[in-house]
Amino acid sequence: MFNCSTRLSLLPREKSRDGMSEPRMIGNGPEEVKAGLAGHLSRLWRYGLVLTGRRDTAEDLVQATCVRALERAHQFEPGTRLDRWLFTILRSIWLNEVRSRRIRTGEGIVDAETFLTFNGAEQIEEGVLLQQVLREMQSLPETQREAIFLVYVEGLAYREAAAVLDIPIGTIMSRLAAARTTLGRLNADAAPLSHWPEAKHP
Amino acid sequence: MTDAPHHDRPSDEDLVAYLDGELSSDARFRIARAVAEDHELQRRLILLSGGQRPFRDAFAPLLAQAPEDKLKAMLDGLPGPVTPEEAAQPTRHSSNRWKALAAGLALFLAGAGAGWMGSSIVRPALEQPKVATESDDDDWRQSVAAYISLYTSETLASIPDDARAQELEIASVRAKTGLALSPQKLALPDLTLKRAQVLEYDQKPLGQIAYLDPESGPLALCIITGGGPDADKSTEQRLGLNVVYWTKAGRSFMLIGRAAMPRLQNWADEVSGRLSG
């Protein structure tokens, strides 16, 4: 069961997540924010879509995030990762301002993954993989799905994801461990030998 | 980097951090040694490793679906960043500018909160104190433009055409604006009336009648009270939208949408004639 080839595949990945690979502008915060926003719109929209499950709401969230970021541009620390800062703003607007109102007014929340599975993934050819992954992610609590998105999809380091979600790093680790236990069991039940290609890391 | 405990058996969290390359080299070495000696840890590591998926690749196609051009156009329409100096000592200009944007944001959030179900809800007053300026008239139009620019055809198309519900909505706008509105007076050629609702701007009720034009998408007729002396129709562009606006009997009106200006002006003439008659 624990043969050599399996063991090799379990070697930890070497990775560099210190963010130095992304070009940065060193300068004053407001200018960096204004110049950098345009490069992150698609990723902000995707995060909005994953959080809200709705394309129109995701667009609204990106706009509200841009407005807020420009308004608070002087608070951005030049040289730090702009995308992380923007994620934090977007999530905060969603949780504190949009979602809470929706719940109060009884509108409820569309399940993001259900939405993506039935209204997004099927529209694209490459969506088969997305559908497979999303179907499995349905079995996870929302908090674990969000940790997975930030760390494994967006490539945030644990401490960066913890900062975006405003939780201790240990909580990120336990959410990821719990998620991988669940998904690992699904894998073991479905096929003794993994049929999943190794994930690529940023 | 995260440190794994020195003496205890590594936890699942430590093992996942090990697989994710999140450990310092010391901690990684300790875990590798512990795993090599412990069959139970080997079993756990295999299970956790099996919980990996090609998440990044799976979510990649969604990036291509982002309405990048639309978002870029939206960004281009926003004013520049607030500088530290402006933030510390807001000038009249920046304060007005951000007041307008904040109002737009509040309207957007009000809409998102209420949903698109056509419920007429009076929104709480904006947080910013009212500062009477000669540009207040501009501010409300800027706020409405920021709000309407978020509308797509889909936003309105999903609202069911329910005549009875619309009558009630229009009655609510009529009550708040004191304007003799009716579905007949508001019906405009080529346009489908989709919703009427009451919002609030600067503690004044703001009536909004949303239409859908099969050609150009969403349009809105907005009415606010306390509009000052009568003024003839003028036109302008805000955030890429065409606007016709006028003031009559203490109420300011604006018709806003992506439709070409001549069409917009025709509708404005039609509806202003009916509402004053």
Side-chain angles (χ1 to χ4, degrees):
Chain A
M1 172 175 180
F2 193 66
N3 61 33
C4 266
S5 62
T6 311
R7 193 167 197 161
L8 277 176
S9 75
L10 294 180
L11 286 174
R13 271 176 298 277
E14 291 297 331
K15 65 174 181 176
S16 165
R17 277 182 177 167
D18 61 4
M20 290 310 288
S21 58
E22 180 173 285
R24 288 179 184 171
M25 292 176 55
I26 306 295
N28 79 30
E31 283 314 310
E32 191 174 340
V33 170
K34 176 72 175 171
L37 266 173
H40 297 303
L41 295 172
S42 291
R43 285 173 61 221
L44 285 172
W45 181 84
R46 181 173 68 173
Y47 189 27
L49 182 65
V50 166
L51 286 178
T52 68
R54 295 177 57 116
R55 280 148 204 277
D56 53 351
T57 313
E59 260 178 60
D60 294 348
L61 267 180
V62 176
Q63 165 146 9
T65 302
C66 291
V67 168
R68 187 73 49 92
L70 290 168
E71 192 181 9
R72 298 190 181 168
H74 57 281
Q75 295 174 4
F76 175 68
E77 208 178 305
T80 59
R81 292 288 295 262
L82 179 62
D83 54 351
R84 275 60 171 157
W85 188 67
L86 296 172
F87 279 168
T88 309
I89 294 175
L90 184 142
R91 183 172 186 275
S92 152
I93 294 174
W94 163 241
L95 277 192
N96 300 328
E97 298 174 33
V98 183
R99 176 165 145 140
S100 56
R101 282 173 196 252
R102 282 195 175 182
I103 291 171
R104 272 210 305 280
T105 54
E107 194 186 346
I109 303 297
V110 181
D111 185 290
E113 276 67 33
T114 303
F115 173 86
L116 292 174
T117 303
F118 295 107
N119 296 293
E122 67 195 10
Q123 294 172 4
I124 38 180
E125 218 172 289
E126 311 91 315
V128 180
L129 181 62
L130 179 61
Q131 283 199 47
Q132 276 181 301
V133 170
L134 289 176
R135 199 176 304 122
E136 292 197 323
M137 284 175 78
Q138 299 274 18
S139 59
L140 304 175
E142 191 184 348
T143 52
Q144 294 178 19
R145 297 197 299 238
E146 202 176 0
I148 283 180
F149 179 80
L150 290 176
V151 174
Y152 296 138
V153 177
E154 285 295 348
L156 272 62
Y158 287 0
R159 64 177 163 73
E160 292 174 322
V164 170
L165 299 176
D166 197 21
I167 54 176
I169 194 170
T171 308
I172 285 284
M173 293 170 73
S174 54
R175 286 179 186 173
L176 292 175
R180 289 181 67 153
T181 303
T182 306
L183 295 176
R185 290 209 176 104
L186 285 177
N187 221 28
D189 292 347
L193 293 172
S194 171
H195 58 284
W196 291 101
E198 185 70 6
K200 282 182 194 160
H201 261 282
Chain B
M1 290 292 164
T2 309
D3 279 326
H6 283 258
H7 306 296
D8 299 341
R9 187 188 224 186
S11 64
D12 281 0
E13 285 79 1
D14 299 325
L15 295 177
V16 169
Y18 170 78
L19 291 169
D20 286 346
E22 280 272 349
L23 297 179
S24 65
S25 55
D26 275 2
R28 205 159 59 210
F29 178 73
R30 280 199 303 276
I31 300 256
R33 197 172 53 189
V35 169
E37 295 166 353
D38 186 332
H39 278 278
E40 172 57 19
L41 281 180
Q42 290 164 11
R43 217 181 50 76
R44 299 295 307 169
L45 197 61
I46 289 171
L47 177 71
L48 293 166
S49 180
Q52 184 56 280
R53 296 289 184 274
F55 293 112
R56 193 178 159 84
D57 291 347
F59 281 81
L62 288 178
L63 284 179
Q65 294 199 343
E68 177 95 24
D69 290 347
K70 198 170 163 194
L71 294 172
K72 280 221 168 89
M74 173 278 297
L75 182 61
D76 289 342
L78 296 177
V82 174
T83 65
E85 296 74 40
E86 280 178 319
Q89 283 186 316
T91 62
R92 177 61 151 265
H93 171 70
S94 73
S95 139
N96 276 345
R97 183 179 66 163
W98 287 102
K99 180 182 161 196
L101 264 180
L105 186 62
L107 282 172
F108 146 57
L109 294 171
W116 309 112
M117 302 308 290
S119 53
S120 301
I121 295 171
V122 180
R123 286 288 141 196
L126 297 167
E127 287 170 16
Q128 304 257 2
K130 176 174 164 47
V131 183
T133 68
E134 52 196 18
S135 68
D136 265 6
D137 186 41
D138 281 14
D139 284 354
W140 88 278
R141 294 204 305 277
Q142 185 67 19
S143 296
V144 168
Y147 180 49
I148 300 298
S149 69
L150 300 171
Y151 278 31
T152 64
S153 295
E154 292 75 42
T155 312
L156 296 175
S158 59
I159 301 172
D161 294 317
D162 179 340
R164 176 68 190 139
Q166 285 183 359
E167 257 178 58
L168 292 172
E169 289 167 18
I170 290 168
S172 169
V173 176
R174 184 171 58 217
K176 285 290 172 187
T177 60
L179 198 59
L181 300 171
S182 67
Q184 292 72 30
K185 283 186 175 175
L186 290 170
L188 291 171
D190 300 333
L191 301 181
T192 310
L193 196 160
K194 295 300 294 188
R195 178 184 61 196
Q197 65 182 161
V198 180
L199 302 167
E200 191 164 279
Y201 180 81
D202 247 358
Q203 303 179 25
K204 291 180 287 198
L206 191 165
Q208 181 196 270
I209 322 295
Y211 298 91
L212 189 56
D213 173 23
E215 212 171 287
S216 68
L219 274 90
L221 171 68
C222 295
I223 306 149
I224 193 166
T225 55
D230 284 7
D232 282 343
K233 292 190 191 69
S234 306
T235 61
E236 64 181 358
Q237 273 210 326
R238 287 183 186 266
L239 303 177
L241 299 170
N242 288 325
V243 181
V244 181
Y245 63 97
W246 67 96
T247 301
K248 178 87 181 169
R251 295 182 195 89
S252 291
F253 297 80
M254 67 186 283
L255 185 64
I256 179 169
R258 294 182 183 85
M261 199 60 96
R263 299 181 72 214
L264 213 57
Q265 284 171 312
N266 284 342
W267 287 315
D269 289 343
E270 180 118 15
V271 76
S272 64
R274 289 193 207 156
L275 293 181
S276 60

